[in-house]
Amino acid sequence: MENKSLVNQILHNQKVTEYGYDGYGIVRINNNYPILVENALKDEIVDVQVIQQNAKFALGKVVTQHVKSEKRIDVANKELVYSYNAPLIIISYEDQLKFKTQVIKSMFAREFNFYDVADCKESKKQFHYRNKLTLHVQQDEKEIKIGFFVRNTHIILEQKNYDLVNEELDKIVKIVVAFLKANATQIRNWKLYSIVFKYSDKTNETLVIFDSYNKLKTENEIAQIIKQAIGNEKANLIFHVINHKTGKVVEQKIYGQEKITFKIGKYKYLVNYDSFFQVNDDQAKAIFDFILKKNEFKGNELVIDAYAGVGTIGLYIAKNVKHVVSVENIHNATENAKLNAKLNKISNFKALTMDSTRYFDTFVDKENVGIVIFDPPRAGLNTIIIRKVIEKKIDRIIYLSCNPHTLVRDLKAFLNGDYHIKLVQPFDMFPQTQHIETLCILERNKDQK
């Protein structure tokens, strides 16, 4: 098949045969060649326009829908649907949970012959659960566009409502977007390209980060107007000028504070603008409580919390173990973790600013580690970390993953290193989206000690 032969073509009356892990409907043509189709469900008959293509698969979008799945539901927020950033929004929440459960069960059955995967635990909120939002900005001589990138593109689709974020944050986002669009001429030379919003509903604090390639001459005036428009004394703004080539911050101006306070359960967490924090507070609490319940800590364990962010998980379990070492490579996040330990009056906690790979390669041999917690980015772990954990013969691994594919890859290496899977529990951290948070607990085989 010629890779270029299908792009922009419309394929008529195609049947969707599967619903894939990433929330695509799958149409198969020409000897089983898959086309991953946005906004398409199994058993629907559609006309598909091919957008991109390579040797392994193509991407497409529905031009015309001829037969609709009985599982499809009507969604009022069409802009969110057609941004394809929430692909599961077109099916019921019950079906979303079934879909996510089946994804993880199928992977573990196929890869490990492991069949004891629990059903995906539902989120307390199916909408308005996010405490963070990123909007992209494009501007020319005629207009400014502010919204989401359509999935797999750099095309911005503006949004009328932000149904996945906290209701109060939704209001704040609309205020800021409306102001910027009303003053598009005044800010044209600013070259603003991204806005990040963070909001804590427990403390009513807001942090808005503007990333641009030029300094805004009227920055002070604009900042005060936006703060006043938001109408919240706890609104904090940060203006960054970014080097276009390096992507690094070359100038920063803070109006208010550079960090805000979140709460999970009884614990408070100071979080800087560049520090990672779970986007769904309620589900994070459910996961952390589950970790405490299922691990039955005895109080004598030394725990390494790798990719620790602001110390979220480590601090949550610290009072149940002997000592926690928090390892994180972002300096501000580590400083947050140290402050959070003091804020929560936790003394058996140490935070290190260090790449997790370097820590495991250089320092882990000096500690009598019983348990390691991994909450890595989507890329998962690297081979050095996995090898050192195996060599160190750490008794238990608590692995919280946002990417089932890299989780499976890493688990294969651990299982080859004399570990076994004790527990697999998916959580719906991101309702309406294809993303799945999976908690996996591994233990060393006792006969290998």
Side-chain angles (χ1 to χ4, degrees):
M1 171 185 291
E2 297 279 341
N3 277 351
K4 62 182 179 180
S5 62
L6 292 178
V7 174
N8 293 326
Q9 286 191 30
I10 296 177
L11 308 179
H12 296 277
N13 295 306
Q14 300 295 315
K15 184 173 182 178
V16 182
T17 58
E18 304 150 61
Y19 194 52
Y21 155 70
D22 282 323
Y24 292 106
I26 301 176
V27 166
R28 294 188 180 272
I29 62 169
N30 299 344
N31 298 318
N32 217 31
Y33 181 77
I35 302 175
L36 311 184
V37 185
E38 299 279 14
N39 190 26
L41 295 174
K42 186 176 183 294
D43 296 327
E44 292 186 330
I45 307 295
V46 295
D47 294 345
V48 178
Q49 183 177 20
V50 178
I51 306 301
Q52 300 176 34
Q53 184 181 5
N54 61 39
K56 294 183 178 180
F57 64 90
L59 295 177
K61 66 177 182 179
V62 174
V63 176
T64 307
Q65 185 183 79
H66 299 292
V67 176
K68 183 169 70 172
S69 168
E70 63 181 14
K71 290 187 177 293
R72 179 179 287 274
I73 63 174
D74 291 329
V75 180
N77 189 339
K78 302 302 182 186
E79 292 79 17
L80 182 56
V81 171
Y82 290 108
S83 75
Y84 310 129
N85 283 279
L88 302 194
I89 198 172
I90 59 176
I91 60 177
S92 70
Y93 189 59
E94 180 183 0
D95 283 336
Q96 291 182 36
L97 292 174
K98 289 179 180 178
F99 169 75
K100 294 184 178 186
T101 296
Q102 188 57 39
V103 166
I104 303 302
K105 284 189 173 183
S106 296
M107 282 186 170
F108 276 78
R110 181 178 65 248
E111 302 292 345
F112 305 114
N113 290 321
F114 185 87
Y115 298 95
D116 194 21
V117 174
D119 290 345
C120 186
K121 286 191 177 290
E122 67 181 85
S123 174
K124 182 178 179 180
K125 296 179 180 178
Q126 289 86 59
F127 289 93
H128 299 297
Y129 61 87
R130 290 186 63 96
N131 57 38
K132 179 184 177 182
L133 179 72
T134 299
L135 294 180
H136 301 283
V137 184
Q138 292 174 350
Q139 188 171 14
D140 56 27
E141 294 298 320
K142 296 182 179 179
E143 63 177 345
I144 182 171
K145 287 187 175 182
I146 306 172
F148 299 150
F149 280 144
V150 175
R151 184 158 66 149
N152 296 314
T153 77
H154 285 91
I155 299 170
I156 287 180
L157 184 60
E158 296 189 300
Q159 304 289 302
K160 294 177 182 176
N161 296 291
Y162 304 90
D163 291 341
L164 301 188
V165 305
N166 175 278
E167 292 94 334
E168 189 62 30
L169 180 54
D170 174 70
K171 296 175 186 177
I172 293 167
V173 173
K174 289 175 180 175
I175 289 170
V176 173
V177 169
F179 173 80
L180 294 175
K181 291 182 74 68
N183 293 273
T185 302
Q186 183 180 350
I187 65 173
R188 180 177 295 132
N189 295 325
W190 189 14
K191 293 189 177 180
L192 177 68
Y193 69 88
S194 174
I195 313 169
V196 177
F197 298 84
K198 295 186 177 185
Y199 177 75
S200 171
D201 64 343
K202 305 297 191 303
T203 62
N204 196 29
E205 294 175 285
T206 307
L207 186 59
V208 186
I209 305 103
F210 300 91
D211 288 339
S212 67
Y213 293 125
N214 287 337
K215 182 176 175 61
L216 182 63
K217 292 182 180 179
T218 57
E219 180 185 284
N220 291 337
E221 176 187 350
I222 294 293
Q224 296 308 318
I225 293 173
I226 291 176
K227 281 175 68 74
Q228 187 175 5
I230 292 175
N232 183 346
E233 294 181 358
K234 296 182 178 180
N236 307 281
L237 310 181
I238 300 179
F239 289 74
H240 284 156
V241 179
I242 308 295
N243 183 297
H244 197 289
K245 292 182 179 179
T246 66
K248 294 183 178 181
V249 176
V250 294
E251 187 172 339
Q252 174 179 272
K253 185 66 178 291
I254 301 170
Y255 296 86
Q257 303 295 322
E258 65 177 347
K259 52 183 172 288
I260 60 177
T261 304
F262 291 88
K263 290 184 70 176
I264 296 180
K266 63 183 179 181
Y267 296 97
K268 297 178 180 179
Y269 299 95
L270 291 166
V271 181
N272 259 66
Y273 68 89
D274 60 346
S275 299
F276 169 77
F277 192 76
Q278 282 76 7
V279 300
N280 185 337
D281 302 15
D282 291 330
Q283 196 68 324
K285 182 180 185 302
I287 293 172
F288 301 166
D289 286 342
F290 188 87
I291 289 173
L292 282 175
K293 179 181 178 181
K294 293 298 181 179
N295 280 277
E296 299 177 345
F297 297 112
K298 297 177 181 178
N300 61 352
E301 299 93 346
L302 172 58
V303 178
I304 304 300
D305 183 11
Y307 305 94
V310 299
T312 322
I313 302 176
L315 289 168
Y316 203 90
I317 69 166
K319 292 182 179 179
N320 295 272
V321 302
K322 183 178 180 180
H323 193 73
V324 174
V325 178
S326 169
V327 183
E328 168 61 46
N329 68 337
I330 295 177
H331 175 76
N332 282 341
T334 302
E335 293 305 305
N336 290 159
K338 293 175 182 178
L339 291 173
N340 292 335
K342 294 179 181 179
L343 186 65
N344 292 287
K345 298 179 180 179
I346 295 173
S347 58
N348 61 332
F349 179 91
K350 178 172 68 174
L352 303 175
T353 302
M354 189 179 298
D355 179 77
S356 290
T357 302
R358 180 170 174 248
Y359 177 82
F360 278 90
D361 192 36
T362 308
F363 294 97
V364 75
D365 288 333
K366 301 177 183 178
E367 307 278 8
N368 186 24
V369 182
I371 299 172
V372 61
I373 299 171
F374 291 120
D375 185 8
R378 290 185 60 78
L381 307 177
N382 64 39
T383 56
I384 294 175
I385 292 177
I386 294 172
R387 175 173 55 82
K388 294 300 290 188
V389 169
I390 294 171
E391 289 177 356
K392 182 67 175 174
K393 298 182 179 180
I394 294 173
D395 291 330
R396 191 182 312 161
I397 302 165
I398 302 170
Y399 195 142
L400 184 61
S401 168
C402 59
N403 185 341
H405 294 292
T406 54
L407 172 64
V408 166
R409 179 202 66 198
D410 294 344
L411 293 190
K412 287 180 180 179
F414 283 123
L415 266 59
N416 287 333
D418 295 327
Y419 285 84
H420 65 271
I421 300 171
K422 180 182 180 183
L423 178 150
V424 180
Q425 175 64 67
F427 288 85
D428 191 16
M429 181 74 88
F430 314 97
Q432 317 307 326
T433 81
Q434 75 278 24
H435 301 298
I436 310 170
E437 197 85 357
T438 307
L439 178 68
C440 187
I441 299 176
L442 304 177
E443 290 185 346
R444 285 196 72 246
N445 298 324
K446 292 182 179 180
D447 59 350
Q448 299 294 325
K449 291 184 179 180

PDB file of all heavy atoms in Angstrom, residues 12-31:
ATOM      1  N   HIS A  12     -16.167   5.638   1.991  1.00  0.00           N
ATOM      2  CA  HIS A  12     -17.597   5.637   2.263  1.00  0.00           C
ATOM      3  C   HIS A  12     -18.064   4.327   2.905  1.00  0.00           C
ATOM      4  O   HIS A  12     -17.535   3.248   2.633  1.00  0.00           O
ATOM      5  CB  HIS A  12     -18.376   5.893   0.966  1.00  0.00           C
ATOM      6  CG  HIS A  12     -18.110   7.240   0.372  1.00  0.00           C
ATOM      7  ND1 HIS A  12     -18.755   8.377   0.805  1.00  0.00           N
ATOM      8  CD2 HIS A  12     -17.261   7.640  -0.618  1.00  0.00           C
ATOM      9  CE1 HIS A  12     -18.322   9.426   0.117  1.00  0.00           C
ATOM     10  NE2 HIS A  12     -17.406   8.999  -0.758  1.00  0.00           N
ATOM     11  N   ASN A  13     -19.078   4.460   3.752  1.00  0.00           N
ATOM     12  CA  ASN A  13     -19.795   3.314   4.332  1.00  0.00           C
ATOM     13  C   ASN A  13     -18.860   2.284   4.970  1.00  0.00           C
ATOM     14  O   ASN A  13     -18.921   1.086   4.684  1.00  0.00           O
ATOM     15  CB  ASN A  13     -20.658   2.648   3.257  1.00  0.00           C
ATOM     16  CG  ASN A  13     -21.760   3.564   2.763  1.00  0.00           C
ATOM     17  OD1 ASN A  13     -22.547   4.093   3.540  1.00  0.00           O
ATOM     18  ND2 ASN A  13     -21.794   3.788   1.455  1.00  0.00           N
ATOM     19  N   GLN A  14     -18.015   2.780   5.843  1.00  0.00           N
ATOM     20  CA  GLN A  14     -17.077   1.913   6.549  1.00  0.00           C
ATOM     21  C   GLN A  14     -17.668   1.501   7.903  1.00  0.00           C
ATOM     22  O   GLN A  14     -18.208   2.325   8.636  1.00  0.00           O
ATOM     23  CB  GLN A  14     -15.746   2.637   6.773  1.00  0.00           C
ATOM     24  CG  GLN A  14     -15.049   3.065   5.493  1.00  0.00           C
ATOM     25  CD  GLN A  14     -14.634   1.890   4.655  1.00  0.00           C
ATOM     26  OE1 GLN A  14     -14.077   0.915   5.163  1.00  0.00           O
ATOM     27  NE2 GLN A  14     -14.898   1.971   3.348  1.00  0.00           N
ATOM     28  N   LYS A  15     -17.530   0.210   8.226  1.00  0.00           N
ATOM     29  CA  LYS A  15     -18.030  -0.263   9.517  1.00  0.00           C
ATOM     30  C   LYS A  15     -16.916  -0.214  10.562  1.00  0.00           C
ATOM     31  O   LYS A  15     -15.795  -0.679  10.323  1.00  0.00           O
ATOM     32  CB  LYS A  15     -18.548  -1.694   9.408  1.00  0.00           C
ATOM     33  CG  LYS A  15     -19.163  -2.189  10.727  1.00  0.00           C
ATOM     34  CD  LYS A  15     -19.834  -3.540  10.577  1.00  0.00           C
ATOM     35  CE  LYS A  15     -20.475  -3.966  11.899  1.00  0.00           C
ATOM     36  NZ  LYS A  15     -21.195  -5.256  11.779  1.00  0.00           N
ATOM     37  N   VAL A  16     -17.243   0.349  11.710  1.00  0.00           N
ATOM     38  CA  VAL A  16     -16.297   0.390  12.828  1.00  0.00           C
ATOM     39  C   VAL A  16     -16.353  -0.961  13.530  1.00  0.00           C
ATOM     40  O   VAL A  16     -17.393  -1.352  14.059  1.00  0.00           O
ATOM     41  CB  VAL A  16     -16.646   1.525  13.805  1.00  0.00           C
ATOM     42  CG1 VAL A  16     -15.631   1.581  14.936  1.00  0.00           C
ATOM     43  CG2 VAL A  16     -16.705   2.867  13.076  1.00  0.00           C
ATOM     44  N   THR A  17     -15.247  -1.674  13.529  1.00  0.00           N
ATOM     45  CA  THR A  17     -15.234  -3.045  14.044  1.00  0.00           C
ATOM     46  C   THR A  17     -14.780  -3.147  15.482  1.00  0.00           C
ATOM     47  O   THR A  17     -15.025  -4.157  16.153  1.00  0.00           O
ATOM     48  CB  THR A  17     -14.319  -3.923  13.173  1.00  0.00           C
ATOM     49  OG1 THR A  17     -12.997  -3.361  13.165  1.00  0.00           O
ATOM     50  CG2 THR A  17     -14.830  -3.995  11.749  1.00  0.00           C
ATOM     51  N   GLU A  18     -14.078  -2.111  15.984  1.00  0.00           N
ATOM     52  CA  GLU A  18     -13.530  -2.172  17.348  1.00  0.00           C
ATOM     53  C   GLU A  18     -13.541  -0.771  17.948  1.00  0.00           C
ATOM     54  O   GLU A  18     -13.674   0.227  17.237  1.00  0.00           O
ATOM     55  CB  GLU A  18     -12.080  -2.674  17.327  1.00  0.00           C
ATOM     56  CG  GLU A  18     -11.861  -4.008  16.652  1.00  0.00           C
ATOM     57  CD  GLU A  18     -10.475  -4.077  16.045  1.00  0.00           C
ATOM     58  OE1 GLU A  18      -9.497  -3.970  16.807  1.00  0.00           O
ATOM     59  OE2 GLU A  18     -10.375  -4.221  14.810  1.00  0.00           O
ATOM     60  N   TYR A  19     -13.381  -0.734  19.256  1.00  0.00           N
ATOM     61  CA  TYR A  19     -13.175   0.538  19.954  1.00  0.00           C
ATOM     62  C   TYR A  19     -11.854   0.416  20.684  1.00  0.00           C
ATOM     63  O   TYR A  19     -11.719  -0.373  21.621  1.00  0.00           O
ATOM     64  CB  TYR A  19     -14.325   0.813  20.923  1.00  0.00           C
ATOM     65  CG  TYR A  19     -14.377   2.239  21.427  1.00  0.00           C
ATOM     66  CD1 TYR A  19     -14.369   3.318  20.542  1.00  0.00           C
ATOM     67  CD2 TYR A  19     -14.433   2.517  22.783  1.00  0.00           C
ATOM     68  CE1 TYR A  19     -14.426   4.626  20.992  1.00  0.00           C
ATOM     69  CE2 TYR A  19     -14.495   3.818  23.259  1.00  0.00           C
ATOM     70  CZ  TYR A  19     -14.496   4.870  22.350  1.00  0.00           C
ATOM     71  OH  TYR A  19     -14.541   6.169  22.804  1.00  0.00           O
ATOM     72  N   GLY A  20     -10.845   1.138  20.228  1.00  0.00           N
ATOM     73  CA  GLY A  20      -9.481   0.937  20.694  1.00  0.00           C
ATOM     74  C   GLY A  20      -9.159   1.626  22.003  1.00  0.00           C
ATOM     75  O   GLY A  20      -9.901   2.492  22.481  1.00  0.00           O
ATOM     76  N   TYR A  21      -7.997   1.248  22.558  1.00  0.00           N
ATOM     77  CA  TYR A  21      -7.558   1.747  23.868  1.00  0.00           C
ATOM     78  C   TYR A  21      -7.534   3.267  23.940  1.00  0.00           C
ATOM     79  O   TYR A  21      -7.915   3.860  24.948  1.00  0.00           O
ATOM     80  CB  TYR A  21      -6.172   1.168  24.199  1.00  0.00           C
ATOM     81  CG  TYR A  21      -5.366   2.017  25.152  1.00  0.00           C
ATOM     82  CD1 TYR A  21      -5.738   2.119  26.491  1.00  0.00           C
ATOM     83  CD2 TYR A  21      -4.257   2.737  24.720  1.00  0.00           C
ATOM     84  CE1 TYR A  21      -5.023   2.901  27.373  1.00  0.00           C
ATOM     85  CE2 TYR A  21      -3.545   3.526  25.594  1.00  0.00           C
ATOM     86  CZ  TYR A  21      -3.926   3.611  26.913  1.00  0.00           C
ATOM     87  OH  TYR A  21      -3.225   4.397  27.764  1.00  0.00           O
ATOM     88  N   ASP A  22      -7.115   3.932  22.871  1.00  0.00           N
ATOM     89  CA  ASP A  22      -6.979   5.385  22.909  1.00  0.00           C
ATOM     90  C   ASP A  22      -8.271   6.119  22.609  1.00  0.00           C
ATOM     91  O   ASP A  22      -8.275   7.325  22.383  1.00  0.00           O
ATOM     92  CB  ASP A  22      -5.892   5.837  21.931  1.00  0.00           C
ATOM     93  CG  ASP A  22      -4.488   5.610  22.496  1.00  0.00           C
ATOM     94  OD1 ASP A  22      -4.324   5.800  23.707  1.00  0.00           O
ATOM     95  OD2 ASP A  22      -3.583   5.245  21.735  1.00  0.00           O
ATOM     96  N   GLY A  23      -9.391   5.400  22.596  1.00  0.00           N
ATOM     97  CA  GLY A  23     -10.672   6.047  22.368  1.00  0.00           C
ATOM     98  C   GLY A  23     -10.968   6.277  20.897  1.00  0.00           C
ATOM     99  O   GLY A  23     -11.805   7.128  20.559  1.00  0.00           O
ATOM    100  N   TYR A  24     -10.304   5.543  20.022  1.00  0.00           N
ATOM    101  CA  TYR A  24     -10.590   5.617  18.593  1.00  0.00           C
ATOM    102  C   TYR A  24     -11.505   4.466  18.192  1.00  0.00           C
ATOM    103  O   TYR A  24     -11.337   3.329  18.649  1.00  0.00           O
ATOM    104  CB  TYR A  24      -9.306   5.467  17.768  1.00  0.00           C
ATOM    105  CG  TYR A  24      -8.319   6.598  17.873  1.00  0.00           C
ATOM    106  CD1 TYR A  24      -7.147   6.451  18.609  1.00  0.00           C
ATOM    107  CD2 TYR A  24      -8.528   7.801  17.200  1.00  0.00           C
ATOM    108  CE1 TYR A  24      -6.215   7.469  18.691  1.00  0.00           C
ATOM    109  CE2 TYR A  24      -7.600   8.827  17.272  1.00  0.00           C
ATOM    110  CZ  TYR A  24      -6.440   8.656  18.022  1.00  0.00           C
ATOM    111  OH  TYR A  24      -5.531   9.667  18.094  1.00  0.00           O
ATOM    112  N   GLY A  25     -12.452   4.746  17.279  1.00  0.00           N
ATOM    113  CA  GLY A  25     -13.102   3.671  16.566  1.00  0.00           C
ATOM    114  C   GLY A  25     -12.145   3.169  15.503  1.00  0.00           C
ATOM    115  O   GLY A  25     -11.389   3.951  14.925  1.00  0.00           O
ATOM    116  N   ILE A  26     -12.147   1.861  15.247  1.00  0.00           N
ATOM    117  CA  ILE A  26     -11.179   1.282  14.303  1.00  0.00           C
ATOM    118  C   ILE A  26     -11.914   0.717  13.094  1.00  0.00           C
ATOM    119  O   ILE A  26     -12.815  -0.116  13.226  1.00  0.00           O
ATOM    120  CB  ILE A  26     -10.323   0.199  14.972  1.00  0.00           C
ATOM    121  CG1 ILE A  26      -9.555   0.797  16.164  1.00  0.00           C
ATOM    122  CG2 ILE A  26      -9.354  -0.420  13.967  1.00  0.00           C
ATOM    123  CD1 ILE A  26      -8.743  -0.212  16.952  1.00  0.00           C
ATOM    124  N   VAL A  27     -11.522   1.219  11.924  1.00  0.00           N
ATOM    125  CA  VAL A  27     -12.002   0.707  10.642  1.00  0.00           C
ATOM    126  C   VAL A  27     -10.839  -0.035   9.998  1.00  0.00           C
ATOM    127  O   VAL A  27      -9.709   0.467   9.983  1.00  0.00           O
ATOM    128  CB  VAL A  27     -12.474   1.856   9.730  1.00  0.00           C
ATOM    129  CG1 VAL A  27     -12.651   1.381   8.289  1.00  0.00           C
ATOM    130  CG2 VAL A  27     -13.759   2.473  10.266  1.00  0.00           C
ATOM    131  N   ARG A  28     -11.098  -1.224   9.471  1.00  0.00           N
ATOM    132  CA  ARG A  28     -10.018  -2.008   8.850  1.00  0.00           C
ATOM    133  C   ARG A  28     -10.293  -2.175   7.352  1.00  0.00           C
ATOM    134  O   ARG A  28     -11.394  -2.552   6.952  1.00  0.00           O
ATOM    135  CB  ARG A  28      -9.879  -3.364   9.537  1.00  0.00           C
ATOM    136  CG  ARG A  28      -9.401  -3.246  10.984  1.00  0.00           C
ATOM    137  CD  ARG A  28      -9.088  -4.576  11.605  1.00  0.00           C
ATOM    138  NE  ARG A  28      -8.638  -4.412  12.985  1.00  0.00           N
ATOM    139  CZ  ARG A  28      -7.373  -4.199  13.358  1.00  0.00           C
ATOM    140  NH1 ARG A  28      -6.430  -4.118  12.427  1.00  0.00           N
ATOM    141  NH2 ARG A  28      -7.051  -4.062  14.633  1.00  0.00           N
ATOM    142  N   ILE A  29      -9.255  -1.897   6.560  1.00  0.00           N
ATOM    143  CA  ILE A  29      -9.364  -2.015   5.111  1.00  0.00           C
ATOM    144  C   ILE A  29      -8.121  -2.725   4.572  1.00  0.00           C
ATOM    145  O   ILE A  29      -7.132  -2.899   5.303  1.00  0.00           O
ATOM    146  CB  ILE A  29      -9.495  -0.630   4.436  1.00  0.00           C
ATOM    147  CG1 ILE A  29      -8.233   0.213   4.698  1.00  0.00           C
ATOM    148  CG2 ILE A  29     -10.733   0.108   4.942  1.00  0.00           C
ATOM    149  CD1 ILE A  29      -8.156   1.479   3.872  1.00  0.00           C
ATOM    150  N   ASN A  30      -8.137  -3.110   3.307  1.00  0.00           N
ATOM    151  CA  ASN A  30      -6.934  -3.591   2.606  1.00  0.00           C
ATOM    152  C   ASN A  30      -6.080  -4.521   3.468  1.00  0.00           C
ATOM    153  O   ASN A  30      -5.041  -4.139   3.985  1.00  0.00           O
ATOM    154  CB  ASN A  30      -6.080  -2.414   2.128  1.00  0.00           C
ATOM    155  CG  ASN A  30      -6.831  -1.531   1.152  1.00  0.00           C
ATOM    156  OD1 ASN A  30      -7.856  -1.926   0.602  1.00  0.00           O
ATOM    157  ND2 ASN A  30      -6.319  -0.321   0.944  1.00  0.00           N
ATOM    158  N   ASN A  31      -6.530  -5.741   3.616  1.00  0.00           N
ATOM    159  CA  ASN A  31      -5.769  -6.741   4.381  1.00  0.00           C
ATOM    160  C   ASN A  31      -5.556  -6.343   5.837  1.00  0.00           C
ATOM    161  O   ASN A  31      -4.461  -6.446   6.376  1.00  0.00           O
ATOM    162  CB  ASN A  31      -4.425  -7.031   3.715  1.00  0.00           C
ATOM    163  CG  ASN A  31      -4.601  -7.611   2.325  1.00  0.00           C
ATOM    164  OD1 ASN A  31      -5.465  -8.455   2.113  1.00  0.00           O
ATOM    165  ND2 ASN A  31      -3.788  -7.144   1.387  1.00  0.00           N
TER     166      ASN A  31
END
